[in-house]
Amino acid sequence: MTSALEAGYTADGIAVGADAVREAVGQALGGLRRPASFVLVFPPATMAPEEVVAQADEAAADVPWAGMSSDGVVAAGAMVPKGCAALAFDDTVEAGVGLAEGASHDPRGAAA
């Protein structure tokens, strides 16, 4: 389950609360001056994966996204233990997402 907190932001602008992923992705996309090509999401590890996917899908609409969870989000001068950050790239950045089995056996090869 997600946090019982209402969606909001820390003083450093990190989205927190039950709608943290939706808020962070929306804020990242809203800050672009051009169409988006990709969103990178850093949801809290405490949020259910299904909820992360649902919120990111909704907020990103047709923009491809990927994410990884963490035990904290680094903000400007602080560490927020249960927040969500997102980074949106505009259409001047070409991005793609890949999937590889056994990538840990050859990380450099998987990255290529």
Side-chain angles (χ1 to χ4, degrees):
M1 279 285 150
T2 58
S3 169
L5 296 173
E6 290 184 30
Y9 295 92
T10 67
D12 296 311
I14 301 297
V16 295
D19 292 326
V21 172
R22 185 178 293 109
E23 294 289 330
V25 171
Q27 184 179 31
L29 289 170
L32 295 178
R33 295 183 180 164
R34 298 175 54 94
S37 66
F38 187 72
V39 179
L40 189 55
V41 183
F42 301 92
T46 56
M47 185 178 279
E50 299 82 12
E51 185 63 21
V52 171
V53 171
Q55 288 189 32
D57 279 347
E58 179 186 325
D62 294 328
V63 178
W65 67 272
M68 60 192 86
S69 64
S70 68
D71 287 336
V73 175
V74 177
M79 181 71 149
V80 180
K82 295 183 181 178
C84 181
L87 178 62
F89 299 89
D90 71 21
D91 61 359
T92 63
V93 176
E94 193 173 320
V97 178
L99 175 65
E101 290 187 31
S104 63
H105 299 292
D106 181 14
R108 289 179 192 261

